[in-house]
Amino acid sequence: MDNSQPLDKITNLHDLTLPRTCKRIVIKVGSALLVGPDGQPRREWLASLAGEISAAVIRGQEVIVVSSGAIALGASRLQLEKGGRANLADAQAAASVGQIELSALWADLLGGHGLTTGQLLVTLEDLEGRRRYLNASATLKRLVDRGVVPVVNENDSVATHEIRFGDNDRLAARVAQAGKADAVVLLSDIDGLYDRNPKDPGAKMIPMVHGVTKEIHDMADGGSGSGLGSGGMTSKLQAAEIAERAGIALAIVNGQYTAPLARALQGGIGTLFLPRRRDSGRKAWLGGRLRMRGTLVVDAGAAKAMHDGNSLLAKGITDVTGNFSRGDVVEVRGPDGEQIAKGLAEYDASEVFAIMGRHSDDQERLLGYAPRSAVIHRDQMVIVSMRR
């Protein structure tokens, strides 16, 4: 993608089909869409989607696919109970077998259109660690530059609960960040975001969202009805927040139809999340992180100072939890418990505990060395709550 030529601004769903507004797009496919109730791949539906991906490439777009389905496919082949999710050992074994079938499926269907696919398996740590994240970004860039359609999935054969995304919605958003995409399309089992549970009479779909707020989160239903997937509307809103920090648009559309992209994007049926902000590359990566090494609780004065663009000083900290080291990512919560920021700690946890609530004049005596200017410097911090 030639970043020297700025793209036109995305303003609607149809813009996601145009190279001049959306040069690079991530398409996320969930287990319930890819695998039928019998545990077999839905080849006819997948063939229609492969045709749409080919059409996007022909018109000048670059496509990255984030695909679930390995556990479901492997569980069917191994005849495991509960779709392979009865326990961790079953899930990992199912993923090991199913991933081969999944990658072969995509290679076959996209290969029928003359497209080459590449497989990229990642864990949470691969995109949470800065160095690994940059390596993944470089790999994705090289693949799309060579005309390859990368197919990305979580590496469930080795991932444990502690190092899992847990759903491919948030993974898709992180891949979009790493792959420098312009938009993400989450193919779901629902047309978009509704103002309440869509089963309720009078529920209305929201076609456009300018930034995810607390009010938007309150509309979400965290359940996944299929029993095959692990995501729900809450995970999709979290994905939208991750994408937003990198200035990436995200759409939630119904993938249950044949040729789902044409129906949703050309027909304007779905919810489009337009970002209110665009953080720098490092801050977008930091703001999108899902796993924190510790927590700092601050008083109201420190919370306000951070919202005003200031660094976090030890004096404003009231509590410390976690066993983190200097350079680890920690979250900052206000006096009401709401998460307000994430940042790179300038001190180990034990040092923060020693100096919290203290003036800078006291810190040299407590630490035995001249204190640093802040516990979290403003240049290494992102504000995640807009409430002041």
Side-chain angles (χ1 to χ4, degrees):
M1 180 165 50
D2 184 1
N3 291 322
S4 66
Q5 300 295 325
L7 300 177
D8 293 343
K9 190 175 182 180
I10 293 172
T11 61
N12 56 63
L13 286 171
H14 183 257
D15 285 343
L16 303 191
T17 69
L18 306 176
R20 70 172 184 270
T21 50
C22 182
K23 179 66 175 176
R24 187 173 297 170
I25 188 168
V26 172
I27 300 169
K28 178 261 178 178
V29 183
S31 297
L33 294 174
L34 191 141
V35 183
D38 59 355
Q40 299 304 306
R42 300 175 62 217
R43 286 193 68 97
E44 184 176 346
W45 179 87
L46 280 166
S48 76
L49 179 59
E52 292 192 295
I53 292 171
S54 173
V57 173
I58 289 171
R59 62 179 175 255
Q61 291 183 289
E62 298 163 341
V63 180
I64 299 172
V65 175
V66 173
S67 177
S68 305
I71 292 177
L73 291 172
S76 176
R77 181 64 62 91
L78 297 177
Q79 298 183 336
L80 297 173
E81 297 179 353
K82 299 182 179 180
R85 298 181 185 273
N87 53 61
L88 179 61
D90 278 2
Q92 291 180 326
S96 177
V97 172
Q99 191 59 51
I100 294 176
E101 185 173 353
L102 180 65
S103 58
L105 187 63
W106 281 111
D108 178 41
L109 292 172
L110 291 174
H113 295 276
L115 296 174
T116 300
T117 59
Q119 178 180 266
L120 191 64
L121 297 178
V122 298
T123 64
L124 181 66
E125 289 187 335
D126 293 323
L127 297 180
E128 297 282 81
R130 183 65 177 168
R131 182 175 295 181
R132 290 188 185 182
Y133 173 89
L134 293 174
N135 286 338
S137 179
T139 300
L140 287 168
K141 181 181 186 304
R142 184 61 173 162
L143 289 170
V144 296
D145 284 350
R146 299 297 296 175
V148 175
V149 177
V151 178
V152 186
N153 193 13
E154 186 158 17
N155 194 354
D156 289 311
S157 62
V158 298
T160 61
H161 176 74
E162 292 79 11
I163 58 169
R164 293 192 72 241
F165 278 89
D167 62 81
N168 272 5
D169 298 320
R170 294 180 295 180
L171 173 60
R174 287 297 254 168
V175 167
Q177 278 188 342
K180 296 179 172 56
D182 304 298
V184 182
V185 176
L186 303 179
L187 295 178
S188 182
D189 57 0
I190 193 169
D191 280 337
L193 173 68
Y194 284 76
D195 60 356
R196 69 197 79 172
N197 191 312
K199 296 179 181 178
D200 292 348
K204 296 180 180 179
M205 192 182 73
I206 301 172
M208 188 93 59
V209 175
H210 293 272
V212 180
T213 63
K214 183 179 183 300
E215 290 71 27
I216 295 296
H217 270 293
D218 288 342
M219 300 175 187
D221 178 4
S224 176
S226 68
L228 288 173
S230 53
M233 190 54 70
T234 294
S235 73
K236 290 171 176 55
L237 294 183
Q238 291 169 343
E241 289 180 303
I242 293 170
E244 176 182 18
R245 292 197 165 275
I248 299 170
L250 182 142
I252 300 173
V253 304
N254 198 327
Q256 297 180 102
Y257 298 85
T258 300
L261 297 178
R263 174 187 179 270
L265 303 185
Q266 296 177 15
I269 305 171
T271 299
L272 177 63
F273 294 81
L274 293 175
R276 296 174 297 176
R277 62 195 296 170
R278 185 184 183 94
D279 288 340
S280 66
R282 186 177 182 85
K283 286 205 170 188
W285 164 79
L286 182 58
R289 281 184 59 102
L290 302 174
R291 188 169 61 158
M292 304 294 109
R293 296 290 185 180
T295 300
L296 307 178
V297 180
V298 301
D299 59 28
K304 182 181 185 304
M306 292 167 67
H307 277 296
D308 289 340
N310 296 304
S311 301
L312 174 61
L313 305 180
K315 185 179 183 300
I317 300 174
T318 60
D319 193 20
V320 182
T321 58
N323 184 24
F324 55 88
S325 301
R326 184 188 181 196
D328 285 343
V329 181
V330 298
E331 65 176 348
V332 182
R333 293 188 176 273
D336 60 356
E338 180 189 20
Q339 186 187 64
I340 59 176
K342 301 176 185 178
L344 301 180
E346 290 287 343
Y347 292 93
D348 296 346
S350 59
E351 294 173 314
V352 180
F353 185 81
I355 63 175
M356 69 178 187
R358 300 296 191 107
H359 289 278
S360 56
D361 294 343
D362 300 326
Q363 292 172 21
E364 183 171 0
R365 175 178 56 82
L366 293 166
L367 295 172
Y369 61 83
R372 300 181 184 93
S373 61
V375 174
I376 303 178
H377 193 277
R378 64 184 181 181
D379 292 342
Q380 306 295 339
M381 176 196 303
V382 291
I383 301 298
V384 298
S385 168
M386 293 297 106
R387 221 166 67 182
R388 302 181 61 149

